[in-house]
Amino acid sequence: MTVKIKAQGLRDWGIPFGDYLVVAGPCSAESEEQVHATVAELAKLSVNLVRAGLWKPRTRPGCFEGVGEPGLRWLTEAGKAHGLPVTTEVATPQHVEQALKAGVDVLWIGARTTVNPFSVQPIADALKGVDIPVMVKNPINPDIELWIGALERLNAAGITKLAAIHRGFTAYKKSRFRNKPNWKIPIELRRRVPSLPMICDPSHISGARKLIPEVAQTALDLTFDGLMIESHINPDVALSDAKQQLVPADLGKVLAGLVPMRATPSSDELNYIQGLRNIIDQLDATLIGLLGQRMTIAREIGRFKKQTRLTVFQPGRWKETLQTRIRKGKDLGLAEDFLLRVYQYIHEESIRHQEEGLKD
Ligand code: PEP
Ligand code: MN
């Protein structure tokens, strides 16, 4: 299906920012003092937009579920006091109505809302005729269609100041990350909707402070337009996401350590890169040629196995092939997991060719 999203650039939102947009603030607004103290510190950094969750979607009931409507005033007043626009998560039309009434500058839709079109549509309906930027987090499951679908619903309601927030995907296996980055999904979103601004949320991907710089830098390397990072005046006593929130001073250090990347090379740089790309093109042509030759031989083996009534799949040979190729590849600095996957695909295709050979 073709994607029909008309999104304005991030610079059209009316929020000034440097190389990339920096959204920061606590996971949750907890008290008026905490919001004001945090925003006062963030205002000293290169933060462009303040975040705080008021209605918190928690996995299990009985946890802190946010301060709700009273927090709207804390947030908007703190933003005004320090000249910073503010954003909060909305999950229902009622949240939208209350946030708009309070003068929140930007809204975002959370990962647990994006998964459900029954939730997204009423939010989009509540935003008809309103000119406000809306950021849409990816759904918790790695389904790009749901992510695009939510953006399309908002766009169809007339919202053109749109951005996607990449916050990772639920990790079912043990992983370094709280939510797996699965970068190929935001990369595919960029390919399918090039004009859509993309923001990365390294806090929810990492789930731990120490991983945040690495994830944030990867996002900048991959041409993300902004970062959303959780920051709390006293994270150790935070009522939600304590382990991943940074004190503002540490956020300052993380931001200072990031290297913004340019998406467009100069002509000299392009010439140099082009020279290397030409070599890659030749190597790829050789690689595909060799794969073609390998499959021709596989077909010949298939023909022979048919004559001699041997099974196509020979487990001993497969085991030995895998072991020797992985050993050789590892010597050349290739990752074992990569080699395993490449050879699984080659073997699958080889079996297909051998079976074709049986029919010859
Ligand atoms: C949050 O931003 O605090 C939050 C709840 O995020 P997510 O929707 O990504 O889980
Ligand atoms: Mn959070």
Side-chain angles (χ1 to χ4, degrees):
M1 243 169 49
T2 49
V3 180
K4 298 182 293 283
I5 294 176
K6 274 211 169 60
Q8 289 178 259
L10 211 48
R11 301 269 175 205
D12 300 325
W13 286 18
I15 298 173
F17 63 93
D19 291 316
Y20 50 89
L21 181 78
V22 180
V23 189
C27 177
S28 303
E30 297 166 5
S31 70
E32 189 160 6
E33 297 66 38
Q34 170 245 8
V35 172
H36 276 268
T38 307
V39 178
E41 289 306 307
L42 296 177
K44 297 177 190 160
L45 310 174
S46 55
V47 171
N48 314 114
L49 175 63
V50 173
R51 66 149 281 154
L54 303 173
W55 298 281
K56 297 304 296 179
R58 306 307 298 279
T59 304
R60 304 275 303 272
C63 302
F64 170 67
E65 291 193 324
V67 295
E69 196 180 7
L72 281 167
R73 188 179 57 77
W74 310 341
L75 185 59
T76 51
E77 284 184 359
K80 280 210 180 72
H82 297 280
L84 283 170
V86 297
T87 181
T88 198
E89 174 178 347
V90 288
T92 67
Q94 197 193 6
H95 296 163
V96 172
E97 196 188 305
Q98 293 174 350
L100 292 177
K101 203 165 123 219
V104 170
D105 304 279
V106 175
L107 304 176
W108 93 75
I109 293 182
R112 288 164 190 78
T113 305
T114 310
V115 277
N116 186 357
F118 281 120
S119 296
V120 176
Q121 192 56 51
I123 295 174
D125 292 340
L127 284 165
K128 278 210 176 97
V130 184
D131 180 23
I132 189 167
V134 183
M135 308 185 287
V136 181
K137 289 200 170 197
N138 63 262
I140 52 173
N141 54 327
D143 183 344
I144 192 171
E145 303 301 334
L146 271 177
W147 201 0
I148 292 176
L151 289 155
E152 283 175 331
R153 284 174 198 279
L154 290 158
N155 204 209
I159 300 292
T160 54
K161 291 176 182 149
L162 276 173
I165 302 180
H166 171 45
R167 50 75 80 197
F169 303 90
T170 300
Y172 296 103
K173 281 199 240 149
K174 199 171 153 20
S175 151
R176 277 199 313 137
F177 301 103
R178 176 179 174 197
N179 290 292
K180 287 184 78 168
N182 215 338
W183 295 105
K184 63 178 182 294
I185 291 186
I187 289 171
E188 173 62 8
L189 182 61
R190 180 65 107 198
R191 191 188 68 80
R192 285 168 67 172
V193 199
S195 64
L196 181 71
M198 294 199 10
I199 293 167
C200 178
D201 172 348
S203 305
H204 289 88
I205 291 177
S206 304
R209 283 168 208 134
K210 69 173 193 314
L211 284 177
I212 290 173
E214 169 192 329
V215 176
Q217 185 62 56
T218 302
L220 296 183
D221 294 349
L222 293 175
T223 74
F224 274 77
D225 307 282
L227 299 171
M228 180 191 256
I229 303 181
E230 286 185 338
S231 176
H232 188 291
I233 199 76
N234 190 358
D236 292 335
V237 298
L239 299 178
S240 59
D241 290 352
K243 288 204 191 87
Q244 70 195 32
Q245 300 202 63
L246 297 165
V247 286
D250 286 345
L251 172 65
K253 285 185 203 147
V254 169
L255 294 174
L258 293 175
V259 186
M261 296 294 171
R262 291 172 299 125
T264 323
S266 70
S267 62
D268 277 358
E269 289 164 342
L270 195 59
N271 274 341
Y272 178 72
I273 295 172
Q274 198 50 52
L276 295 175
R277 282 183 182 156
N278 290 343
I279 301 175
I280 293 222
D281 289 349
Q282 283 168 17
L283 289 172
D284 279 346
T286 310
L287 207 56
I288 293 172
L290 289 173
L291 285 171
Q293 282 179 34
R294 196 187 190 285
M295 295 310 155
T296 309
I297 304 287
R299 213 181 170 102
E300 184 53 39
I301 292 182
R303 246 179 252 127
F304 181 76
K305 283 181 180 164
K306 188 187 174 194
Q307 280 165 15
T308 49
R309 299 177 60 99
L310 286 166
T311 57
V312 164
F313 182 46
Q314 298 277 317
R317 164 68 182 164
W318 168 229
K319 194 171 161 217
E320 185 248 353
T321 307
L322 210 51
Q323 275 172 353
T324 52
R325 282 24 166 206
I326 287 180
R327 206 177 311 127
K328 177 135 184 68
K330 276 170 78 178
D331 286 347
L332 295 169
L334 304 175
E336 178 163 349
D337 174 54
F338 165 74
L339 292 159
L340 179 65
R341 278 182 292 149
V342 166
Y343 265 90
Q344 276 166 340
Y345 282 121
I346 291 180
H347 189 235
E348 219 175 278
E349 181 67 359
S350 185
I351 286 191
R352 192 178 73 76
H353 278 267
Q354 289 194 42
E355 274 169 354
E356 289 290 312
L358 296 183
K359 294 183 207 142
D360 289 347

